[in-house]
Amino acid sequence: MVKIGDYLVYFMKEAVKWNDIVKGDEAAYSALYDCYADLLYGYGMKIIADEATVVDAIQALFMNIFEKRKSLAVPNSIAAYLCQSLKNLLINEMHSAASRNTHSLDENVAEDYDFDLELDAESAIIAGEGEREKYRIFQEELGKLSKQQREILYLRYYKGLGIDEVAEILAVSKRTVYNTSNNALTRLRENKVLARYFGEAAILVLLRYYII
C-alpha cells in the first residue's frame, strides 16, 4: 500500500538541487516549495494547531531561504533542515505570543505543545461499531505515549524520514531516536487488545498510513 503521491514526491525531491537554489534559480526554488510544503504544513500543525500561524511561518521560512541563499551551507538533509527551521520559527512565535499575553516569558511555553496523533478514520475505511472500537483503543494507546515518542513515530513512520533526519530535527542523538521509537512500538505491540485486533505488522501499517 502506497500513499498517493509518494512516487511523485520522490522524483520531485531528486529534482531539488540546493546549489541551483543558491544561484537563485527560480525553478529550483519553486521545486523546493512544491516538494516540501505539505510535509512542513503537516508537521507545523502538530506543533501549533493554528493554520494561519503555520502558513505564515512556512512563507517566512522560504523567504528567508531566498534572501539568505548565498550564505546557506548545503544541508545534510533538506527535509530535516526545513522541518527544524520551521519548528524554530514556530517556537519563537509561541515565545513571542506568551510574552505579549503575560508580559513575562515562560521558558517552558515552547515545550508545552502536545503533538497529538490522530487516526484518520475515513482513510482507514472504518465500518461498523466493532471496527470503530478497535481504532478507538489504538487512538487511546497513542495518547498514552510521551510527546517525544509521538513526534518520533510521526516523523519516522508517517512522514518516512530517516533516523539521522529525525535526530537533526529534534536535536537529539540517533541512539535516542532509535531507542525512543523502539520503546514506543514495543509498548503498542505489548498491548494485548491491540495485538489481538491488529497484530504487530498491522500496527506499523496504521502508523504509516492512517494517522494525521
Side-chain angles (χ1 to χ4, degrees):
M1 185 176 184
V2 177
K3 284 180 285 189
I4 296 174
D6 273 359
Y7 288 129
L8 177 61
V9 169
Y10 171 78
F11 287 116
M12 289 173 68
K13 286 182 179 179
E14 292 299 300
V16 173
K17 306 298 182 184
W18 193 261
N19 287 335
D20 291 339
I21 294 168
V22 171
K23 295 175 185 176
D25 187 306
E26 291 186 5
Y29 183 76
S30 295
L32 179 73
Y33 180 87
D34 291 340
C35 182
Y36 292 102
D38 286 346
L39 166 66
L40 294 173
Y41 177 80
Y43 183 53
M45 289 294 289
K46 291 293 182 186
I47 296 171
I48 178 170
D50 184 316
E51 184 173 13
T53 299
V54 172
V55 170
D56 286 348
I58 292 173
Q59 292 176 345
L61 170 59
F62 280 95
M63 287 179 62
N64 288 342
I65 290 173
F66 187 78
E67 292 172 356
K68 300 177 181 179
R69 62 190 182 279
K70 293 183 179 180
S71 62
L72 296 176
V74 179
N76 294 323
S77 162
I78 294 176
Y81 168 76
L82 293 175
C83 285
Q84 184 185 53
S85 298
L86 178 65
K87 185 173 185 176
N88 289 339
L89 285 172
L90 292 173
I91 287 175
N92 287 339
E93 173 57 28
M94 284 188 277
H95 274 296
S96 297
S99 180
R100 290 193 299 269
N101 292 335
T102 66
H103 304 292
S104 64
L105 184 59
D106 180 353
E107 293 295 330
N108 295 319
V109 66
E111 301 304 321
D112 288 340
Y113 65 92
D114 293 327
F115 211 94
D116 292 330
L117 295 183
E118 299 177 28
L119 288 171
D120 183 354
E122 183 177 352
S123 296
I125 316 177
I126 298 175
E129 189 65 33
E131 289 297 300
R132 286 196 292 271
E133 178 64 11
K134 294 178 185 180
Y135 288 93
R136 184 195 67 76
I137 293 172
F138 189 73
Q139 178 74 71
E140 188 177 272
E141 290 305 307
L142 287 175
K144 293 178 182 178
L145 299 176
S146 70
K147 180 186 72 174
Q148 186 182 64
Q149 287 175 325
R150 292 193 297 268
E151 190 166 358
I152 288 175
L153 290 181
Y154 176 83
L155 292 170
R156 278 201 70 188
Y157 296 104
Y158 186 65
K159 290 304 182 182
L161 300 183
I163 290 178
D164 290 3
E165 293 174 307
V166 178
E168 182 177 340
I169 294 168
L170 272 61
V172 297
S173 69
K174 290 184 287 185
R175 174 59 59 182
T176 295
V177 174
Y178 180 81
N179 288 342
T180 302
S181 60
N182 277 2
N183 289 340
L185 288 175
T186 297
R187 176 169 180 168
L188 293 174
R189 287 166 172 163
E190 286 180 345
N191 182 286
K192 294 181 180 179
V193 177
L194 291 181
R196 184 173 70 253
Y197 279 153
F198 298 110
E200 291 186 5
I203 287 175
L204 278 180
V205 172
L206 289 168
L207 290 172
R208 286 193 174 107
Y209 301 108
Y210 296 137
I211 58 174
I212 58 175

